[in-house]
Amino acid sequence: MAAATEGKAGGAEARASLVSFLLGGSVAMLPLLLSAPPPLLLAGLQGRAALALHVAGINAALLLGWGRAPALYKIAIRACFLGFAFGCGLLLSFGQSAWKHFGWYMCSLSLFHYSEYLVTAVNNPRSLSLDSFLLNHSFEYNLAALSSWIEFTVEKIFFPEMKQITWLSTIGLVMVIFGDCLRKAAMLTAGSNFNHIVQNEKSETHTLVTGGVYGWFRHPSYVGWFYWSIGTQVLLCNPICFIGYTMASWRFFRERIEEEEFTLIHFFGEEYVKYKKKVHSGLPLIKGVKVEL
């Protein structure tokens, strides 16, 4: 009964988030409705007025749909914001401005954060919360994102040719897609065993997952996130942040993997130790916790 109730709640939250994300993303349809190309929509006075009216209309729809359900409204407003960012990214992507590759980045970033919530809602509603969007992941994460935006803008102003290397941005986009798909495959494979927070206590349903993508890497979700993270900087052609992201992400996941493996060895003992010996962590030069039998 409890599982059915959790599943029903997770379904309501997933539906609210999906509808809201699509509402926000509908901004990408404005050029068709106004018969105006994306650059004119984003830069012209008529286009900006249309964007303002669109945002006002979406907010009204969210209030009508979930205004009396505060919990769902909080979900809806975040999902809608991510959808709006995704839609604006599409507008930039299909335009011919120097911000085209930044549009690819906006789509990648917003879809990553939204899909984290949606997959959790469908896959493991028991652990679902507003934090599942990962929008408030950490101060360091937000600072890193801001740094990448600043670098892109400054280099675009002073070295515009750096931001128009399409083949390099395409490689970054492939890395981003691969990383995000691998992470979501890991979340779906792990099912209710997956949690955004390292667990210190073993639940009754917690099992050791070794199949699917976990047969490729011990920590496929971290591998996916690592390559997604550095891929965003390749996509933006940000040399400084590429180096910074690589070093910071590698250090973060090294520490996170060690912390998690202490817990997994405590939970599963020799079963995990044997699995650890057979399957690589998936990240370069990261072996995890040293164990002696």
Side-chain angles (χ1 to χ4, degrees):
M1 181 66 72
T5 303
E6 289 168 1
K8 185 177 180 180
E13 291 156 341
R15 286 190 295 273
S17 73
L18 183 57
V19 170
S20 302
F21 182 83
L22 293 175
L23 274 175
S26 66
V27 68
M29 302 298 293
L30 284 182
L32 296 177
L33 297 175
L34 299 176
S35 299
L40 183 60
L41 176 70
L42 295 173
L45 182 60
Q46 180 185 5
R48 291 177 181 177
L51 280 174
L53 288 173
H54 184 75
V55 170
I58 289 175
N59 283 330
L62 294 181
L63 285 169
L64 285 173
W66 297 286
R68 295 184 179 180
L72 289 179
Y73 181 73
K74 290 177 181 178
I75 294 166
I77 203 72
R78 287 163 174 77
C80 185
F81 165 74
L82 291 171
F84 184 79
F86 182 83
C88 289
L90 284 179
L91 292 177
L92 289 174
S93 299
F94 287 105
Q96 296 303 318
S97 73
W99 292 89
K100 179 175 182 177
H101 297 154
F102 194 83
W104 295 3
Y105 166 81
M106 287 180 64
C107 290
S108 303
L109 183 67
S110 54
L111 189 60
F112 172 82
H113 282 280
Y114 173 65
S115 59
E116 286 289 309
Y117 184 88
L118 182 63
V119 172
T120 303
V122 172
N123 210 39
N124 189 14
R126 181 179 297 180
S127 69
L128 188 67
S129 71
L130 291 176
D131 291 340
S132 299
F133 283 108
L134 298 184
L135 292 172
N136 58 340
H137 179 271
S138 66
F139 172 78
E140 292 78 9
Y141 181 85
N142 294 333
L143 181 62
L146 180 61
S147 299
S148 71
W149 304 342
I150 293 173
E151 181 184 352
F152 181 89
T153 303
V154 170
E155 290 174 352
K156 178 183 173 297
I157 294 171
F158 292 102
F159 311 102
E161 65 280 358
M162 284 183 61
K163 303 305 174 184
Q164 298 179 31
I165 309 175
T166 299
W167 66 266
L168 184 59
S169 290
T170 301
I171 291 174
L173 183 61
V174 171
M175 291 175 66
V176 162
I177 293 172
F178 165 77
D180 202 5
C181 287
L182 178 60
R183 179 168 171 82
K184 297 311 182 292
M187 293 173 70
L188 290 169
T189 302
S192 61
N193 295 288
F194 184 90
N195 199 300
H196 284 115
I197 301 172
V198 176
Q199 301 297 291
N200 295 317
E201 295 183 7
K202 182 181 178 183
S203 67
E204 295 180 357
T205 60
H206 201 167
T207 59
L208 179 62
V209 181
T210 59
V213 291
Y214 286 86
W216 306 349
F217 314 115
R218 291 201 310 276
H219 302 279
S221 67
Y222 296 157
V223 176
W225 198 346
F226 176 79
Y227 285 107
W228 174 86
S229 174
I230 63 175
T232 60
Q233 300 313 297
V234 176
L235 191 161
L236 291 175
C237 301
N238 279 353
I240 298 173
C241 280
F242 171 75
I243 295 171
Y245 270 52
T246 301
M247 295 174 63
S249 296
W250 184 87
R251 182 177 179 180
F252 171 80
F253 288 119
R254 183 194 64 183
E255 295 174 354
R256 184 68 175 260
I257 284 173
E258 289 181 355
E259 177 188 1
E260 186 168 300
E261 289 195 342
F262 272 120
T263 302
L264 289 169
I265 291 170
H266 175 69
F267 286 175
F268 301 107
E270 189 174 343
E271 183 183 5
Y272 185 78
V273 173
K274 290 180 179 178
Y275 169 64
K276 184 179 184 301
K277 285 188 172 184
K278 289 171 55 180
V279 181
H280 192 271
S281 71
L283 290 170
L285 303 178
I286 296 180
K287 296 182 178 180
V289 175
K290 293 182 180 179
V291 179
E292 294 182 8
L293 292 175

